[in-house]
Amino acid sequence: MWSKLALFIIKNRRILVLLLAAITVFMGWQARKVEMTYDFAQVVRPDDPDMVYFQRFKQRFGEDGNVLVLGMQDSSVYQLGNFNELRLLTDTLSKVEGVNGILGVTRLPRLVKDTTTQTFRAVPIFRRFPQTQLELDSLMRVVNSQEFYKGQLISPTTGATLLALTMDPKYLNSSRREAVMKEILGHAERFQQKTSIKMHYAGLPYVRATMTTKVASEMKLFVGLTIVMMALTLLMFFRTWSAVVFPLLIVLMVVVWCVGSMVLLGYKINLLTGLIPSIIIVIGIPNCTYLLSRYHYDYRKSGNQVLAMTRVVRKIGLVTLMNNTTTAIGFVVFCFTNIAILFQFGAVATINIFVAFAVSFILMPIVFTILAPPTPKQLEHLEAKPLTKLLEFFDYLVLERRRTVYLAALVFSVLAAVGVTKVKSVSYMVDDLPKDSSVNSDLKFFEQHFNGVMPLELVVNTGKKRGILKLKNLEKIDRLEKFLRTQPVLTTPVSIVTFLKAATQSFYNGDPSYYRLPDNDEKNFVLSYLARSQSVKGAEGQLTNKLLRSFTDSTGQEARISLKIADIGSQNLDTLINNRIKPEINRIFKGTGMEVKLTGTTILFTKGNEYLIGTLKESLVIAFVLVGLVVLILFRSIRAVFFTLLPNFFTLLLTGGIMGYFGIPLKPSTALIFSIALGIDGDNSIHLLAKFRQEMAVNGRRVKAAISTTLSEAGTSMIYTSIVLFLGFSVFAFSEFGGTKALGLLMSASLLITNFSNLILLPCLLVTFEHGADEDTINQSGIKHYDDNYHEEDDDLELNLGRMQVQPKLDS
């Protein structure tokens, strides 16, 4: 089959080139429509109880992760000129398309008691902008007397203040978010230039917009770096520009198909799918180098381009397909999950790995049978002395020092196992951004002055309609809020309780000492004022209604307690919730019939990471099973499965040990590395095992002779492939995202380790456990044409090259 395929490709090269060109043009036309994802995929299952509850929460109380905050800590902001600039900034931002509302010092409302109508009216503190510094100072004293805002908009300890912008979710989850964020940050930057007051930015809209922009820029950077790295590597190996230009053109064609396929599948570019173009280049180049190095080897023997290329396709076609299948397994296992971001990553990568294989096996034979044949100088890489010496050393270790190899493997395995025990599973909301990035430094600003900006929500269900307005229930909530205020990583809570405290303060003409819940005598007066306030027409009545609706549901049965939390990491968050908050909730509400639920984006994010890591562990098990199944089908031997999986398990164990010793935490971005590494590392195992099985037949089933030949011939291409993959994945180490950087570093480490496991440990296992000539004949049906000399002359006669009208170009 592979011989006929090779002849078909070379004979019909014009039609195939035109067909591939047409498909590439179509895919390129589709690729121009690709978009960045702005709604970062939720990794918790839609039917998960916590996710279902969170969706209900958003329907009742609105979004919790759509607030963008701008902060500053400079006393000069309260000077009249700068304060006026702050007012202009606040007014300007309120008019930006995509901003639903804004809360800042210059727009602060306060509740005022109207004794005539017996209502509360929410009126702006700065009804008329102050004209003198004395007037501004007087109004700021009014601002500072509003206990409701302390810890929310103004830090009571440092005097820092912030602007809170509520963003329209329709803009947050679309391509328009970039323009909105750019406009907001532009206005803030102009304010900073005018006043010399440094601005800080935080909130999920800002974090997501920043990450999205970086994903787009890094995608271009990685493609560029990968191309340069692969070009230098190919030039070093083959010493001719044709061996550089055409393989790169082939993989770039596949990149176009890759991006086009995302559009056709309805996917967008996110943190994971943005890596696929570079990964496809890294994985696609070894196909080309493998074909080219084998072509050079066979051309040196035959002197005929068409014959040499046909032999190459015939001999390595099946095994290369199996190698690509094994690589694809590292990605296809993600398609077994119901997590959108992983499924899309796995599906796009898997499809395009096979596309890269098909395109390279079509175009490489076509291109290199048209070009002039390789010169003797270009074939010198086949006899590279450093590589030959290295393989001779490996051969010596395998044949003469197996005990030393096993002892070293055992020692490294024990050390790695100890390292694995040191691996911690922890993740942060801004986990992937560098510690010294502006996002992290700004986040620390808000954590220092306001305790954090990440949303955390509690919902108190009294079990009865209007039960939230009962004083005993309000007192229970107040006890919980007082406890929450003692936690240094939480902001001051906002709820119906804090609103009622503000109403009580207003009832007593704004006296801060009355910022408390009303007692039994006061409650009826305060609540009656509030009830009548909801019927007040105009902006003041609407604002009061809006505040009340934000804190309770329509029936008065449930109340929302809204806070912000520092980005303390999943482990600390889990400790805070399960060891502190929940026990306190049980103490306060035990026996009351009231239920308190924690929810919000931060809670779901943490749970999502735990679920994702668990899913990736399952994917690794599936990957082992699938790789074993491919080996079983190819070699029809249980022992072959053992020989393949054991060295690769050793590689993954050492990779995990590296994570432990270097403090790289287990998180979604690092957990997916193991499945990918297993798929890629498994290629070398299959490659070496296939060559060894054929050498056993050629060498009369003499194991040591077969191993020596296998290492000298298959080892060259395996090392070439490992070097290409190592250099290719190393470009990800330049990423600003921690997870992407870890992917590059750990994959590169894995590829170095796999040279030991597959070129030393695996051959040692074969010499130790594979029997010689007294064993039954090995089944060769799956890999018949792998070997260079396996009935080569007979097969060449079958090709009948004289039937072909393609005349190989023998002169340069």
Side-chain angles (χ1 to χ4, degrees):
M1 182 193 82
W2 291 96
S3 299
K4 293 177 181 178
L5 178 62
L7 291 175
F8 175 82
I9 290 171
I10 297 173
K11 193 171 183 179
N12 298 280
R13 57 188 178 185
R14 290 183 180 177
I15 295 174
L16 289 172
V17 168
L18 288 174
L19 178 61
L20 290 176
I23 296 175
T24 303
V25 170
F26 171 75
M27 285 296 193
W29 182 258
Q30 295 297 323
R32 66 187 180 85
K33 306 174 188 176
V34 72
E35 297 179 8
M36 300 295 298
T37 180
Y38 295 88
D39 183 13
F40 276 44
Q42 184 60 254
V43 295
V44 180
R45 298 193 320 271
D47 60 346
D48 181 87
D50 288 332
M51 174 57 76
V52 172
Y53 187 84
F54 181 54
Q55 296 300 330
R56 278 186 56 215
F57 169 85
K58 291 198 291 186
Q59 291 174 358
R60 284 174 292 171
F61 299 107
E63 292 283 345
D64 72 327
N66 62 337
V67 177
L68 169 67
V69 291
L70 288 70
M72 65 206 84
Q73 200 265 320
D74 193 325
S75 59
S76 67
V77 74
Y78 301 113
Q79 296 173 3
L80 187 61
N82 289 340
F83 197 79
N84 186 48
E85 291 294 336
L86 179 62
R87 177 182 65 87
L88 293 174
L89 172 64
T90 307
D91 293 345
T92 302
L93 292 178
S94 68
K95 298 173 184 176
V96 172
E97 188 177 8
V99 176
N100 278 351
I102 185 168
L103 189 61
V105 175
T106 64
R107 286 191 160 209
L108 279 186
R110 63 168 177 154
L111 286 178
V112 176
K113 181 176 68 172
D114 187 333
T115 55
T116 304
T117 60
Q118 294 189 327
T119 59
F120 292 119
R121 293 183 294 115
V123 299
I125 295 175
F126 293 90
R127 275 187 167 182
R128 184 179 68 87
F129 195 78
Q131 303 301 306
T132 65
Q133 184 67 43
L134 188 64
E135 189 178 354
L136 173 59
D137 293 342
S138 176
L139 288 171
M140 283 305 302
R141 283 192 288 273
V142 177
V143 170
N144 291 323
S145 70
Q146 305 303 305
E147 297 291 325
F148 181 81
Y149 296 115
K150 285 187 178 177
Q152 302 294 334
L153 290 175
I154 302 173
S155 171
T157 56
T158 65
T161 186
L162 58 79
L163 297 175
L165 284 69
T166 304
M167 309 296 295
D168 188 337
K170 291 185 295 184
Y171 283 81
L172 289 179
N173 300 329
S174 74
S175 59
R176 293 177 291 179
R177 177 167 67 180
E178 186 175 354
V180 173
M181 293 298 300
K182 188 175 180 179
E183 185 178 356
I184 290 172
L185 297 181
H187 291 310
E189 181 64 27
R190 283 188 286 275
F191 168 81
Q192 182 171 291
Q193 291 173 354
K194 288 180 180 178
T195 62
S196 298
I197 296 173
K198 182 172 177 56
M199 299 292 288
H200 302 270
Y201 313 97
L204 290 181
Y206 176 68
V207 172
R208 288 170 175 168
T210 302
M211 291 183 71
T212 302
T213 303
K214 287 187 180 294
V215 167
S217 62
E218 286 202 350
M219 180 178 171
K220 298 172 186 174
L221 172 68
F222 290 150
V223 169
L225 283 177
T226 306
I227 290 172
V228 172
M229 191 71 75
M230 294 299 98
L232 293 174
T233 306
L234 291 171
L235 186 61
M236 178 183 68
F237 285 166
F238 298 107
R239 304 174 190 179
T240 173
W241 284 107
S242 62
V244 175
V245 173
F246 291 103
L248 286 177
L249 287 176
I250 289 170
V251 294
L252 286 176
M253 178 187 295
V254 178
V255 168
V256 173
W257 288 38
C258 175
V259 180
S261 66
M262 289 187 203
V263 176
L264 293 176
L265 291 170
Y267 301 156
K268 297 180 181 180
I269 293 175
N270 56 45
L271 189 59
L272 284 184
T273 54
L275 301 177
I276 295 178
S278 299
I279 290 176
I280 290 299
I281 293 175
V282 174
I283 292 174
I285 286 293
N287 284 333
C288 298
T289 57
Y290 192 24
L291 274 166
L292 198 53
S293 63
R294 299 301 298 179
Y295 164 65
H296 282 182
Y297 184 82
D298 275 278
Y299 175 78
R300 188 175 64 174
K301 292 177 64 176
S302 68
N304 186 302
Q305 287 177 273
V306 176
L307 177 59
M309 189 60 79
T310 306
R311 283 179 178 175
V312 169
V313 174
R314 182 189 69 219
K315 286 182 275 187
I316 69 171
L318 177 61
V319 173
T320 307
L321 176 60
M322 290 298 101
N323 286 345
N324 280 267
T325 301
T326 308
T327 300
I329 284 172
F331 296 90
V332 76
V333 290
F334 302 135
C335 297
F336 290 93
T337 72
N338 58 359
I339 301 173
I341 190 171
L342 278 184
F343 181 90
Q344 294 173 15
F345 177 67
V348 174
T350 300
I351 291 169
N352 287 283
I353 285 170
F354 287 111
V355 167
F357 166 77
V359 172
S360 61
F361 260 71
I362 292 172
L363 289 182
M364 287 293 287
I366 291 174
V367 168
F368 285 93
T369 51
I370 292 175
L371 294 174
T375 64
K377 185 177 181 180
Q378 293 165 1
L379 297 176
E380 289 178 357
H381 70 91
L382 297 173
E383 304 294 340
K385 286 186 179 180
L387 192 57
T388 302
K389 293 292 184 183
L390 179 63
L391 291 172
E392 288 175 356
F393 175 66
F394 288 171
D395 185 66
Y396 167 75
L397 290 176
V398 171
L399 299 183
E400 305 296 335
R401 291 288 184 266
R402 286 192 301 283
R403 289 186 179 179
T404 304
V405 171
Y406 291 145
L407 180 61
L410 179 62
V411 170
F412 281 121
S413 296
V414 172
L415 291 174
V418 173
V420 169
T421 63
K422 299 177 181 291
V423 176
K424 297 180 179 179
S425 177
V426 60
S427 54
Y428 293 82
M429 293 287 281
V430 291
D431 204 21
D432 278 326
L433 291 172
K435 299 298 181 184
D436 58 349
S437 71
S438 60
V439 174
N440 270 306
S441 60
D442 283 352
L443 189 61
K444 291 189 183 305
F445 169 86
F446 289 100
E447 290 177 354
Q448 177 185 352
H449 297 283
F450 296 96
N451 291 358
V453 291
M454 299 302 175
L456 180 65
E457 304 286 344
L458 292 86
V459 177
V460 180
N461 187 344
T462 62
K464 296 179 181 179
K465 291 184 178 181
R466 298 184 62 80
I468 209 65
L469 296 179
K470 291 185 177 180
L471 189 57
K472 65 176 183 178
N473 293 340
L474 292 170
E475 289 172 346
K476 295 286 186 184
I477 297 173
D478 189 31
R479 278 183 59 192
L480 175 60
E481 290 187 5
K482 286 178 180 177
F483 166 77
L484 294 174
R485 287 192 194 94
T486 66
Q487 303 304 305
V489 296
L490 297 177
T491 63
T492 304
V494 180
S495 69
I496 184 64
V497 168
T498 53
F499 184 73
L500 283 174
K501 287 180 178 181
T504 306
Q505 180 183 354
S506 175
F507 188 79
Y508 287 99
N509 301 315
D511 187 344
S513 63
Y514 285 93
Y515 181 75
R516 55 172 174 75
L517 282 174
D519 58 28
N520 273 323
D521 295 330
E522 298 163 335
K523 188 185 77 166
N524 291 333
F525 289 103
V526 172
L527 291 180
S528 65
Y529 268 60
L530 281 174
R532 282 189 288 269
S533 299
Q534 295 181 64
S535 61
V536 174
K537 296 181 179 180
E540 295 172 355
Q542 291 177 4
L543 182 57
T544 305
N545 280 330
K546 184 178 180 181
L547 289 170
L548 284 171
R549 285 197 304 270
S550 298
F551 300 135
T552 63
D553 68 340
S554 59
T555 65
Q557 179 173 318
E558 295 182 330
R560 169 191 189 182
I561 304 174
S562 184
L563 338 90
K564 300 291 188 291
I565 184 172
D567 190 14
I568 57 177
S570 54
Q571 283 188 342
N572 290 331
L573 179 63
D574 185 67
T575 300
L576 174 67
I577 291 174
N578 293 310
N579 296 351
R580 298 179 192 172
I581 296 179
K582 285 187 176 179
E584 187 66 22
I585 289 173
N586 291 335
R587 278 194 292 271
I588 295 173
F589 294 94
K590 185 177 181 180
T592 63
M594 300 168 69
E595 181 185 17
V596 181
K597 291 273 292 184
L598 284 93
T599 188
T601 301
T602 304
I603 297 288
L604 268 294
F605 171 83
T606 304
K607 181 167 186 174
N609 278 344
E610 293 172 356
Y611 174 64
L612 190 54
I613 290 171
T615 300
L616 290 171
K617 290 178 181 177
E618 294 174 5
S619 298
L620 180 59
V621 175
I622 296 172
F624 265 105
V625 172
L626 291 179
V627 170
L629 187 60
V630 168
V631 174
L632 186 61
I633 292 171
L634 184 60
F635 298 107
R636 304 180 186 180
S637 167
I638 295 295
R639 282 194 301 170
V641 175
F642 167 77
F643 291 144
T644 301
L645 295 185
L646 182 60
N648 288 287
F649 176 79
F650 174 79
T651 299
L652 298 184
L653 180 63
L654 261 63
T655 304
I658 290 172
M659 289 179 62
Y661 286 118
F662 285 90
I664 301 173
L666 183 65
K667 52 186 178 180
S669 52
T670 54
L672 62 83
I673 291 169
F674 292 94
S675 296
I676 298 174
L678 175 61
I680 293 176
D681 295 345
D683 292 354
N684 284 331
S685 301
I686 290 176
H687 185 179
L688 185 134
L689 200 55
K691 178 65 176 174
F692 170 75
R693 286 302 176 98
Q694 289 293 346
E695 286 300 325
M696 285 284 283
V698 172
N699 287 282
R701 302 189 54 75
R702 290 176 296 140
V703 174
K704 291 186 177 182
I707 282 293
S708 295
T709 306
T710 298
L711 286 175
S712 64
E713 295 185 7
T716 302
S717 56
M718 288 170 65
I719 290 177
Y720 276 5
T721 300
S722 294
I723 291 173
V724 169
L725 291 169
F726 172 81
L727 294 175
F729 277 104
S730 66
V731 303
F732 295 132
F734 294 97
S735 173
E736 289 190 66
F737 294 107
T740 306
K741 183 177 291 186
L743 171 67
L745 294 174
L746 291 174
M747 281 301 303
S748 297
S750 171
L751 290 163
L752 286 178
I753 297 168
T754 198
N755 276 321
F756 170 83
S757 61
N758 283 313
L759 286 174
I760 301 177
L761 182 59
L762 174 55
C764 285
L765 292 172
L766 290 171
V767 173
T768 301
F769 295 103
E770 187 66 63
H771 299 294
D774 58 329
E775 195 181 25
D776 295 337
T777 302
I778 297 172
N779 191 319
Q780 305 292 340
S781 58
I783 50 176
K784 179 179 179 182
H785 296 301
Y786 180 81
D787 181 68
D788 300 348
N789 302 308
Y790 190 86
H791 302 306
E792 191 170 80
E793 293 81 6
D794 293 342
D795 286 335
D796 289 340
L797 288 174
E798 290 178 13
L799 294 177
N800 193 5
L801 295 176
R803 293 180 302 162
M804 297 181 59
Q805 298 183 12
V806 177
Q807 296 298 322
K809 183 177 179 182
L810 298 177
D811 298 324
S812 59

